[in-house]
Amino acid sequence: GHLHEAQERLERLLTLPGADDVSPQVLANALIAAGSVAYWRGDAPGMRRWYGAAVTAAERCGDQRTLADALYNLGFAPDDEA
């Protein structure tokens, strides 16, 4: 039940009005967290969604470590074709 609760809370947080107005670094980290919960739940579409958005946010923040983290995590998301 904890992962289900984590997913609900992160989705609610990330879809709040103004959620995109936080710093790109904070947003990237929150998106990575959401992608990680999707990973632990075996939710491939969720992984692609959240990790992909994390890469975009990490590119905007310009922090190479955050970008590397987001890209690394995205590599674990299976393709639609797999």
Side-chain angles (χ1 to χ4, degrees):
H2 292 103
L3 291 175
H4 180 72
E5 181 180 349
Q7 178 186 9
E8 285 180 356
R9 288 183 182 213
L10 284 163
E11 284 184 12
R12 197 170 34 206
L13 176 72
L14 290 165
T15 58
L16 282 172
D20 291 333
D21 296 336
V22 299
S23 79
Q25 175 115 30
V26 169
L27 181 59
N29 287 327
L31 291 163
I32 288 170
S36 296
V37 170
Y39 171 82
W40 294 320
R41 293 192 75 212
D43 175 12
M47 291 170 63
R48 286 189 299 276
R49 174 184 176 195
W50 297 119
Y51 285 149
V55 169
T56 300
E59 288 171 338
R60 285 196 334 239
C61 84
D63 180 66
Q64 295 300 308
R65 175 177 265 175
T66 303
L67 179 58
D69 205 20
L71 288 167
Y72 172 80
N73 287 316
L74 181 59
F76 287 99
D79 292 340
D80 285 332
E81 300 167 7

